[in-house]
Amino acid sequence: MVNILMEEQDKTNIRKRTSGKIKDKERTKNRMIQAVGKVILKKGYTGLNATAIAKEAGVDKSLVWAYFGSLDNLVEIYILQRDFLNSIAKGSINYILTEDDGVSSKAISALLHDQFNTLMDDKILQKIIHWEIGENKVFLRNLADKREEIGEAFFKIAEPKFTNSTVDLRGTLALLIAGIYYLALHGKANGSLFCGIDVNEPEGKERIDQVITSLIEHLFNEVQ
């Protein structure tokens, strides 16, 4: 009886040690993932390497390959977590895709407003977008492709509403979103005006927000 109890205790201790090691590994991996953002913020993407990430996370750089397979895999995991459509706006997009009455002008406007505000406030995301525009990397292309997958799911639901109209929903949103990207990045990179508008000032930012709402409402009014 005593031997049986001892064996059960040993099994319990093994399970606890195994569980503890798994949790420690996950905590370390998460710390390394978050370290990517800290390095980008401090040194920019040009300073992003295994040594810098490991130092920021307080681990040996060999764990980059042991836990993630490659530096690119680690960076890709991080940027997917910080991307607007793939992560930050996931809840809003799911809501839009499941609306009973289809995609509404208010829902689209709210999503674009959130995108503009996020890009204006998130310095790391600004650097990632700059990186995506300036360099040809596989994981950056993967990020763009994943955005397109989300976009296709949206258009599948939204476009039927515009079938018999002259409205080009894709073209209009392409220009709107590109404009949001550029205004935010341009305004934060050097602080200069664009068409006489300072998006770093509340009045300028509010002006862009109002135009976004107005343009989306105009699209839906054309259908009606």
Side-chain angles (χ1 to χ4, degrees):
M1 183 66 177
V2 174
N3 290 336
I4 294 174
L5 290 174
M6 291 179 64
E7 288 177 2
E8 289 299 322
Q9 184 61 48
D10 288 341
K11 290 179 181 178
T12 300
N13 290 337
I14 291 172
R15 284 196 294 268
K16 286 182 178 179
R17 288 196 296 271
T18 302
S19 176
K21 289 180 180 178
I22 292 173
K23 288 180 180 179
D24 287 343
K25 179 179 179 180
E26 290 305 311
R27 281 194 288 265
T28 300
K29 288 175 68 176
N30 185 62
R31 196 161 70 246
M32 294 172 69
I33 292 168
Q34 299 313 311
V36 173
K38 294 176 181 178
V39 173
I40 292 175
L41 192 58
K42 291 178 181 179
K43 301 182 178 182
Y45 55 82
T46 55
L48 199 59
N49 55 60
T51 300
I53 294 170
K55 183 178 179 180
E56 190 67 47
V59 300
D60 190 280
K61 70 177 182 179
S62 64
L63 293 184
V64 170
W65 290 271
Y67 286 174
F68 300 95
S70 70
L71 176 62
D72 284 358
N73 288 342
L74 170 56
V75 174
E76 182 173 358
I77 290 171
Y78 177 78
I79 62 177
L80 282 173
Q81 288 183 358
R82 291 303 295 261
D83 186 59
F84 180 75
L85 284 185
N86 282 292
S87 180
I88 297 171
K90 192 172 183 178
S92 298
I93 292 170
N94 288 338
Y95 172 75
I96 290 175
L97 297 179
T98 56
E99 280 189 292
D100 293 335
D101 298 328
V103 179
S104 67
S105 61
K106 289 184 179 180
I108 296 177
S109 294
L111 187 63
L112 294 177
H113 289 313
D114 286 346
Q115 186 174 38
F116 184 44
N117 293 330
T118 299
L119 277 170
M120 288 291 292
D121 296 336
D122 193 327
K123 293 181 180 179
I124 295 177
L125 186 56
Q126 292 164 17
K127 292 181 181 293
I128 290 173
I129 297 299
H130 273 297
W131 191 11
E132 184 180 350
I133 293 172
E135 286 196 32
N136 182 18
K137 295 278 190 180
V138 173
F139 57 84
L140 293 173
R141 175 57 188 268
N142 289 341
L143 175 66
D145 289 344
K146 288 181 186 298
R147 286 199 204 108
E148 284 297 300
E149 290 176 9
I150 295 170
E152 285 305 311
F154 164 81
F155 285 119
K156 184 177 180 179
I157 294 175
E159 279 191 308
K161 186 186 291 288
F162 299 87
T163 300
N164 297 318
S165 74
T166 59
V167 173
D168 183 346
L169 183 64
R170 286 177 184 260
T172 304
L173 288 181
L175 284 174
L176 260 177
I177 294 170
I180 287 171
Y181 271 56
Y182 187 79
L183 283 172
L185 296 178
H186 183 274
K188 288 300 180 180
N190 56 34
S192 63
L193 305 181
F194 193 84
C195 290
I197 299 173
D198 186 354
V199 294
N200 291 302
E201 292 296 326
E203 296 81 4
K205 190 167 175 293
E206 177 63 24
R207 191 169 181 177
I208 300 303
D209 279 330
Q210 290 177 356
V211 170
I212 289 172
T213 299
S214 177
L215 287 173
I216 296 300
E217 288 180 350
H218 177 70
L219 290 183
F220 280 76
N221 288 337
E222 284 290 308
V223 176
Q224 293 174 359

